[in-house]
């Protein structure tokens, strides 16, 4: 695979990425880790709106299904400066973007929306629960859940949404992926305790399910069928903000390592999975030293990779389609670039 890079914007400490349909048009969204703005772009890369100027601290952006409302984390500036973090939502009223608080949730890092049995659920992960000093990891994080209200505009700082803790005791609770199956969607999380699959209830009377997939300190994951045998593998970045990329395959009922990347990749962080031309790719980026952006895939005999870029330092990436083109949106945090890579799977 080869990639043609186009820088579409500049944003200091750009971090969170998303797609957002509003005003009847699909947009790309890029927001900042620090106290900086959030921008939207057309799929062609043209700047549209400044959704907000601050306060930033955005780890995740996520559209409310079927509604022109964008949810976002706010005031998560770093693991050491996120006690005031919360989930907020933005919508356009009379041409002006307005912000309301959905819920206060200290140290909230990743969140998303799951669907099963016709019901939407909000699932949110806190990196930790508290700290007494810099780099204090003694207070583990949690997974929080709630039915997603049909109308979240009924909620505000004065009337916040109530979330229920589903899992506790999760140290360095960082990795988060939403996966889909024939019944809806589920989440996979990665933390110091390992990798877990979380499935919402099948109906209103059901229970949430939690299953440990891998007992290994992990930072980020992809849970996809890379080799096409009908069963998902685990692509794992480890340990927390670490330098090791591995793939694990279920053998005799347990996940075993079947690939280890030959190069150390310090501060692994960007990760996204997508099927392009019938082949499943894992896109991975690291933020220190060479700052590689890679496409990893199974070629029918073994795992191989292509280097799409070096030096940019992606914090996050996101695959999207633009007509017949497959593209990768990247928040190149270390160079303050918002970039689109046009992908050529045959190159």
């Amino acid at each position: 695979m080869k990639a043609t890079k186009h820088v579409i914007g500049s944003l200091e400490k750009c971090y969170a990425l998303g797609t957002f349909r509003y005003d009847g048009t699909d947009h790309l969204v890029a927001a900042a880790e620090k106290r900086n703005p959030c921008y939207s772009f057309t799929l062609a890369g043209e700047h549209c709106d400044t959704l907000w100027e601050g306060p930033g601290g955005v780890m995740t952006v996520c559209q409310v299904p079927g509604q022109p409302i964008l949810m976002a984390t706010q005031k998560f500036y770093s693991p050491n400066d996120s006690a005031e973090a919360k989930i907020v939502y933005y919508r356009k009223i009379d041409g002006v973007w307005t912000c309301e608080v959905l819920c206060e949730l200290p140290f909230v890092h990743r969140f998303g929306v799951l669907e099963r049995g016709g019901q939407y659920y909000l699932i949110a992960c806190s990196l930790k629960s508290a700290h007494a000093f810099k780099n204090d990891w003694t207070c583990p994080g949690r997974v929080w859940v709630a039915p997603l209200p049909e109308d979240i505009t009924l909620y505000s700082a004065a009337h916040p949404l109530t979330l229920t803790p589903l899992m506790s005791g999760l140290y360095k609770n960082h990795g988060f992926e939403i996966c889909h199956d024939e019944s809806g969607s589920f989440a996979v999380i990665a933390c110091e305790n390992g990798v877990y699959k979380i499935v919402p209830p099948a109906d209103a009377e059901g229970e949430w399910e939690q299953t440990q997939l891998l007992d290994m300190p992990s930072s980020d994951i992809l849970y996809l069928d890379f080799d096409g045998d009908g069963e998902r593998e685990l692509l794992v970045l480890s340990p927390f903000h670490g330098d090791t990329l591995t793939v694990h395959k279920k053998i005799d009922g347990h996940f075993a390592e079947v690939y280890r990347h030959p190069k150390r990749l310090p501060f692994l962080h960007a990760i996204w999975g997508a099927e392009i031309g019938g082949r499943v790719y894992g896109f991975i980026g690291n933020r220190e030293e060479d700052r590689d952006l890679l496409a990893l895939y199974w070629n029918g005999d073994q795992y191989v990779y292509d280097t799409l870029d070096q030096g940019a330092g992606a914090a996050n990436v996101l695959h999207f389609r633009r007509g017949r083109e497959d593209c990768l949106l990247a928040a190149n945090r270390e160079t303050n670039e918002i970039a689109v890579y046009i992908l050529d799977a045959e190159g």
Side-chain angles (χ1 to χ4, degrees):
M1 173 178 281
K2 293 184 179 179
T4 303
K5 179 180 179 180
H6 301 273
V7 177
I8 64 171
S10 178
L11 178 60
E12 185 179 3
K13 300 293 186 292
C14 53
Y15 189 95
L17 300 173
T19 56
F20 182 26
R21 184 171 180 81
Y22 68 90
D23 291 345
T25 303
D26 293 323
H27 296 80
L28 307 172
V29 172
E33 176 182 345
K34 300 301 183 181
R35 295 168 175 83
N36 290 305
C38 172
Y39 299 135
S40 69
F41 301 84
T42 67
L43 298 190
E46 300 164 340
H47 181 270
C48 287
D49 288 323
T50 299
L51 276 66
W52 61 83
E53 293 287 351
V58 185
M59 298 290 102
T60 303
V61 292
C62 173
Q63 182 164 3
V64 176
Q67 300 180 42
I69 301 174
L70 187 70
M71 298 183 288
T73 45
Q74 190 181 87
K75 293 190 175 182
F76 186 111
Y77 297 119
S78 76
N80 296 304
D81 185 10
S82 51
E84 295 182 359
K86 61 197 73 177
I87 299 176
V88 300
Y89 62 91
Y90 290 84
R91 56 182 174 145
K92 188 185 284 189
I93 300 177
D94 296 329
V96 178
W97 290 100
T98 63
C99 177
E100 292 285 353
V101 173
L102 181 62
C103 59
E104 303 279 347
L105 193 56
F107 304 96
V108 60
H109 184 255
R110 302 292 191 196
F111 74 89
V113 176
L114 302 178
E115 183 276 326
R116 190 154 296 230
Q119 171 67 54
Y120 288 109
Y121 299 90
L122 181 68
I123 179 169
C125 299
S126 52
L127 187 67
K128 55 184 174 180
S129 296
H131 61 196
F133 51 86
K134 186 176 181 179
N135 296 326
D136 177 12
W137 293 101
T138 58
C139 299
R142 288 177 165 178
V143 174
W144 302 80
V145 296
L148 184 70
E150 291 186 10
D151 185 2
I152 70 168
T153 66
L154 299 176
Y155 295 85
S156 64
H159 179 55
L161 178 68
T162 300
L163 280 76
T164 301
L166 179 69
M167 299 177 67
S168 301
L170 304 174
Y171 291 90
K172 298 180 179 178
N173 184 23
H174 184 265
F176 180 82
E177 180 190 19
I178 292 179
C179 302
H180 300 271
D181 60 19
E182 64 280 358
S183 300
S185 54
F186 60 91
V188 179
I189 67 164
C191 58
E192 197 79 2
N193 313 57
V195 178
Y196 296 84
K197 177 181 178 181
I198 303 174
V199 182
D203 55 58
E205 305 302 319
E207 300 290 333
W208 287 81
E209 299 176 11
Q210 307 106 52
T211 305
Q212 187 177 50
L213 300 177
L214 192 65
D215 182 11
M216 183 184 90
S218 305
S219 187
D220 290 280
I221 68 286
L222 292 175
Y223 189 42
L224 297 168
D225 182 9
F226 285 95
D227 61 15
D229 69 349
E231 188 157 14
R232 298 173 189 256
E233 286 75 49
L234 278 170
L235 187 157
V236 182
L237 311 184
S238 65
F240 177 65
H241 286 172
D243 63 5
T244 303
L245 163 60
T246 53
V247 178
H248 303 254
K249 183 174 182 60
K250 186 174 282 188
I251 301 172
D252 296 330
H254 301 281
F255 280 97
E257 182 181 313
V258 294
Y259 172 81
R260 179 172 289 250
H261 194 67
K263 178 182 176 182
R264 288 178 60 254
L265 300 167
F267 210 146
L268 278 162
H269 202 279
I271 188 167
W272 192 270
E275 182 176 335
I276 300 173
R279 173 177 282 165
V280 176
Y281 292 85
F283 297 100
I284 302 104
N286 71 307
R287 290 168 45 183
E288 292 182 355
E289 294 188 6
D290 290 341
R291 301 174 181 170
D292 292 336
L293 179 61
L294 306 176
L296 180 75
Y297 57 97
W298 175 261
N299 72 355
D301 296 308
Q302 61 184 339
Y303 285 95
V304 296
Y305 68 93
D306 297 318
T307 301
L308 305 181
D309 195 11
Q310 284 190 315
N316 286 292
V317 292
L318 179 154
H319 170 265
F320 69 98
R321 287 193 58 82
R322 185 170 66 191
R324 295 183 178 181
E325 293 179 326
D326 285 282
C327 304
L328 198 68
L329 176 66
N332 290 333
R333 179 193 182 279
E334 307 311 315
T335 47
N336 300 327
E337 295 176 340
I338 305 169
V340 170
Y341 298 83
I342 302 173
L343 305 175
D344 178 7
E346 303 302 321

